[in-house]
Amino acid sequence: MKVTIFSAVVAFLIVLLLGPIVIPALRRFKFGQSIREEGPKSHQVKAGTPTMGGVMFIISLLITSIVVYQNITGPLAVALITTVGYGIIGLLDDSLKIIRRKNLGLRAYQKLIGQVTFALILTVFAYNNIGSDIHIPFTSSFIDLGWFYIPFMVFVIVGATNSVNLTDGLDGLASGVTLIICVFFAVVTFGLGKGDLSVFCGAIAGALLGFLKYNSYPAKVFMGDTGSLALGGAISALAVLLKMPFILLIVGLVYVIEVLSVIIQVTSFKLTGKRVFKMSPIHHHFEYIGWHETKIVSMFCIITAICCLIGFLAISF
């Protein structure tokens, strides 16, 4: 556990040091966020806020992993590849948004191709090295998915990654929720004796804690798709490598609610012409009914903390 805590401290300090360097550079190169015109009016003042801040915790994660756990092979290596790979997809998406000066980057199919590619790398590694069985929550049982493991896990990874991306809509929301989930996985990986993945979790948690100094309300920088997709990749990698995709549904309930709100909204509008929520994802709905950003973020973080406690109960092996 000492090594995990040390990795968190190192990552935290690196992000704190990168902030005064990266944020002014992003502002200087006019890497500012474009805001959806149909979004809450209160968000229009955020237009131009530096984005792509996710590069800070990606760099921190890489440096920390190399410094603390020099033998980067196996699960740690594939977890880093997945995280950085999804981060690169997000970086390309953010770059196109900046170039076009619109909240429109890569086309959906282009992002999907990249996401499926890195999901396959992670899934095939897991299939060949740790098996095709997954844990059933609240039991000590595992179920072997056989050949179905690969398409199932690819679906989980892509779905989870995009859910994290949808959650990144308020200052400190995605970073705060994911920080709590990473602490959960840090404890789990330590308990299972997986020191490399424990360092990975500690590094992400520490980096996000440092990032919150700049990303909490009012945000001085946004993580952008660079950061949200990278975080989605990291969380997905942990769920796959620990054989816990169903546990991710529990601890990541906020992610699930966010993506379901979009699905419900779109489906309802196409079938009936009516909207269920004032706006989706659901965090914007709460804004429209008068909740302040900080209240919404606090509520979602509390829900995540409670879900993580339930997650500990669900792991009984």
Side-chain angles (χ1 to χ4, degrees), residues 30-107:
K30 298 182 179 180
F31 289 170
Q33 178 71 42
S34 297
I35 305 297
R36 292 167 59 185
E37 294 179 1
E38 68 275 17
K41 293 181 180 179
S42 61
H43 284 217
Q44 298 306 315
V45 298
K46 300 182 180 184
T49 300
T51 188
M52 295 167 58
V55 296
M56 292 194 289
F57 51 76
I58 294 175
I59 292 171
S60 175
L61 172 62
L62 290 172
I63 294 175
T64 302
S65 299
I66 293 171
V67 171
V68 178
Y69 209 91
Q70 299 176 5
N71 185 26
I72 301 179
T73 57
L76 176 57
V78 77
L80 287 172
I81 289 171
T82 305
T83 304
V84 175
Y86 275 97
I88 291 173
I89 295 171
L91 184 68
L92 292 173
D93 193 37
D94 286 334
S95 299
L96 287 175
K97 290 176 183 177
I98 292 167
I99 293 171
R100 295 169 179 171
R101 299 296 177 186
K102 292 182 179 180
N103 194 32
L104 179 64
L106 291 171
R107 295 183 181 276

Side-chain angles (χ1 to χ4, degrees), residues 60-238:
S60 175
L61 172 62
L62 290 172
I63 294 175
T64 302
S65 299
I66 293 171
V67 171
V68 178
Y69 209 91
Q70 299 176 5
N71 185 26
I72 301 179
T73 57
L76 176 57
V78 77
L80 287 172
I81 289 171
T82 305
T83 304
V84 175
Y86 275 97
I88 291 173
I89 295 171
L91 184 68
L92 292 173
D93 193 37
D94 286 334
S95 299
L96 287 175
K97 290 176 183 177
I98 292 167
I99 293 171
R100 295 169 179 171
R101 299 296 177 186
K102 292 182 179 180
N103 194 32
L104 179 64
L106 291 171
R107 295 183 181 276
Y109 79 89
Q110 294 173 324
K111 284 194 283 190
L112 185 60
I113 289 173
Q115 290 173 356
V116 170
T117 298
F118 285 105
L120 279 171
I121 292 172
L122 171 60
T123 302
V124 170
F125 172 87
Y127 183 81
N128 291 326
N129 291 275
I130 65 175
S132 56
D133 55 324
I134 58 175
H135 176 244
I136 304 302
F138 302 104
T139 73
S140 57
S141 302
F142 288 77
I143 181 173
D144 193 336
L145 297 179
W147 65 268
F148 185 64
Y149 176 88
I150 293 180
F152 174 75
M153 282 302 192
V154 168
F155 175 79
V156 169
I157 295 165
V158 174
T161 303
N162 285 291
S163 297
V164 177
N165 183 240
L166 286 173
T167 305
D168 182 33
L170 300 178
D171 297 356
L173 179 55
S175 45
V177 167
T178 308
L179 166 59
I180 296 169
I181 294 174
C182 283
V183 171
F184 166 82
F185 276 122
V187 175
V188 171
T189 50
F190 175 77
L192 293 174
K194 299 183 181 295
D196 53 352
L197 292 181
S198 186
V199 166
F200 178 79
C201 295
I204 298 176
L208 286 175
L209 187 61
F211 186 68
L212 276 170
K213 180 183 185 305
Y214 308 108
N215 185 237
S216 58
Y217 184 86
K220 298 180 178 65
V221 65
F222 299 138
M223 67 173 68
D225 285 357
T226 305
S228 60
L229 290 181
L231 291 180
I235 295 299
S236 299
L238 289 167

